[in-house]
Amino acid sequence: MSRSEKNILAMSMSGLGLQSMSTMLLSYVLATMITDFGISGTAGGFISTITNIGMLAGGLIFGTLADRKGRAKVFVLTVAIFAIATGGMAFANNIVIVYVLRFFVGVGGGGEYGVIMSMMADTFSSERRGRVNSFVTIAGQVGSIIAAIAAALIIPVFGWRALFIFGALPIFLAIFAYFKLDDPEEWKATNVNDSRPSIIELFQKGRAMTTIRLSIMAIAQVAGYFGLMNWLPSILQKKLGLTVSGSSYWMIATIIGMSIGMVFFGQIMDKIGAKTAYSLFLISSALAVFIYSYADSPLLILVGGAIVGFFANGMNAGYGAIVGNLYPSRIRATANNIIFNFGRAVGGFSSVFIGFFLDNYSLTVAMAFLSVLYLISLSCVLMLKTK
């Protein structure tokens, strides 16, 4: 890699890693917050849902802004927004304030995603995008691991509010990037005439069905990720009587499985193509998620969580790459933010549905719901016009 490539890769990994860390802190305090604020499981699940609605808003605002004004400036702004909003969670005294702050966490995180993925696509060739994007998405999982470790160390001693103060640390990345990050050369060359990309371009020149299919795939991906990751700690605490610290260790095993899956997916996507790679992982995800609902011992939950993570979230490594391959540089940030954040906004409701299924039915019903979504996503990927 050139010096510029290394710098952009490092910034992208740091940005997604810290954004994932700040966002995932909620998982470890959700059960406590439900008790402290006296709300139902469904209302608790809506904290995650409002975050994903904020991500859609951030995608709408910052996707086209990054395509028009540059990746670097928008990257700095979005990191600052989610860092400050995360820190504000420490001082929330009612559920309404929590909803508002988590909305802005979503605005910053959702806006940042498209900037990062478009920077990567602008910087690396299509033959390398699957692999380098897997590094960035793995950094996101490292952020989740940091969140788990922080929860285990901070909550028992200082309480859940202190955890959100820790989550404000990415503000230092924003300051560093302000001075050190520059726009990729491909974006500079594409925007020499001060062009003004718009969302409507995602539905022009034969792109409409591609945009719709990728959006449905993103909905299924996000539903599985946030549904599992936001509720898994609470499920483990209730099902096996684990403490917050204990459930954090189980989450780490699941995240490690995800990271290994991302490395594997990035490699095979570049070698055998996106369509075949996604088909293999989506079928495996549908089976693994449903079977996991029958795990009834610590060992099975540990191993099964790693397997579910490998398949269900390993394929997350490919979304930035596939969008980068299917859309030109002038609308890449717009495409990434609109498609994936629309998926976040809609797929984020899985947390509410899973909360409802757990309150009124069973874990098996909740997991069957996710399995069906993966099969719907499979039908979409098979119709994409890509290899």
Side-chain angles (χ1 to χ4, degrees):
M1 295 184 191
S2 67
R3 182 174 181 178
S4 175
E5 288 176 334
K6 290 178 181 178
N7 185 49
I8 288 176
L9 178 59
M11 288 288 185
S12 298
M13 292 175 68
S14 299
L16 194 62
L18 291 173
Q19 184 262 320
S20 178
M21 180 199 75
S22 294
T23 303
M24 289 307 299
L25 294 178
L26 175 66
S27 301
Y28 303 99
V29 302
L30 181 57
T32 303
M33 289 179 71
I34 288 173
T35 300
D36 285 358
F37 291 115
I39 58 177
S40 67
T42 302
F46 191 70
I47 300 173
S48 176
T49 300
I50 198 70
T51 307
N52 289 308
I53 293 173
M55 287 181 170
L56 176 59
L60 290 169
I61 296 167
F62 294 114
T64 53
L65 192 63
D67 282 331
R68 293 177 182 182
K69 302 298 182 181
R71 318 307 195 197
K73 293 177 181 177
V74 179
F75 177 83
V76 170
L77 180 58
T78 54
V79 172
I81 289 171
F82 76 72
I84 293 170
T86 299
M89 288 281 290
F91 307 97
N93 56 14
N94 63 65
I95 193 62
V96 175
I97 294 176
V98 170
Y99 286 154
V100 171
L101 288 171
R102 287 294 294 189
F103 175 80
F104 281 103
V105 170
V107 168
E112 183 205 44
Y113 176 83
V115 178
I116 288 174
M117 292 305 168
S118 57
M119 280 198 303
M120 296 298 294
D122 289 346
T123 304
F124 296 94
S125 66
S126 59
E127 291 79 13
R128 293 192 289 169
R129 284 177 189 154
R131 282 166 285 179
V132 293
N133 273 9
S134 71
F135 300 151
V136 176
T137 52
I138 287 170
Q141 301 314 307
V142 172
S144 296
I145 292 174
I146 293 173
I149 295 172
L153 296 176
I154 294 174
I155 293 176
V157 180
F158 301 104
W160 65 267
R161 293 181 183 275
L163 189 64
F164 288 113
I165 294 177
F166 172 79
L169 291 179
I171 191 66
F172 294 105
L173 173 65
I175 296 170
F176 182 76
Y178 179 81
F179 295 101
K180 296 295 183 179
L181 184 62
D182 193 18
D183 292 312
E185 293 301 322
E186 183 176 349
W187 180 85
K188 293 178 181 179
T190 302
N191 288 270
V192 291
N193 297 319
D194 194 29
S195 60
R196 295 181 63 82
S198 65
I199 295 172
I200 195 66
E201 292 186 53
L202 302 183
F203 301 91
Q204 294 176 336
K205 300 180 180 180
R207 299 189 187 108
M209 290 310 300
T210 296
T211 299
I212 292 170
R213 287 164 183 157
L214 287 172
S215 297
I216 293 172
M217 290 174 63
I219 289 171
Q221 182 66 37
V222 171
Y225 183 81
F226 283 98
L228 289 170
M229 299 301 287
N230 282 326
W231 278 108
L232 188 56
S234 297
I235 291 170
L236 294 176
Q237 289 169 34
K238 292 179 180 178
K239 192 171 183 177
L240 295 179
L242 297 179
T243 63
V244 172
S245 298
S247 62
S248 296
Y249 300 137
W250 297 113
M251 288 290 286
I252 290 172
T254 303
I255 292 168
I256 290 173
M258 293 179 191
S259 300
I260 296 172
M262 288 173 180
V263 172
F264 186 75
F265 188 88
Q267 294 288 333
I268 67 169
M269 180 178 175
D270 285 341
K271 293 179 180 179
I272 67 176
K275 186 175 292 188
T276 303
Y278 269 107
S279 296
L280 291 172
F281 268 62
L282 284 165
I283 293 170
S284 300
S285 296
L287 293 172
V289 165
F290 184 74
I291 293 171
Y292 187 55
S293 66
Y294 292 98
D296 58 1
S297 71
L299 180 60
L300 288 176
I301 288 178
L302 178 67
V303 176
I307 293 172
V308 168
F310 180 93
F311 289 113
N313 293 307
M315 58 188 165
N316 190 46
Y319 281 93
I322 197 171
V323 171
N325 291 343
L326 292 171
Y327 296 86
S329 178
R330 61 174 276 107
I331 56 170
R332 273 181 187 149
T334 301
N336 269 298
N337 267 351
I338 296 301
I339 290 169
F340 206 73
N341 287 311
F342 176 76
R344 278 171 163 162
V346 178
F349 279 96
S350 68
S351 291
V352 176
F353 286 121
I354 290 176
F356 174 79
F357 291 141
L358 293 173
D359 285 343
N360 298 280
Y361 296 97
S362 67
L363 178 61
T364 301
V365 173
M367 294 305 185
F369 162 73
L370 295 179
S371 293
V372 170
L373 290 181
Y374 288 130
L375 295 178
I376 293 173
S377 180
L378 174 64
S379 68
C380 291
V381 76
L382 292 174
M383 291 186 284
L384 284 177
K385 295 180 180 179
T386 184
K387 65 177 183 176

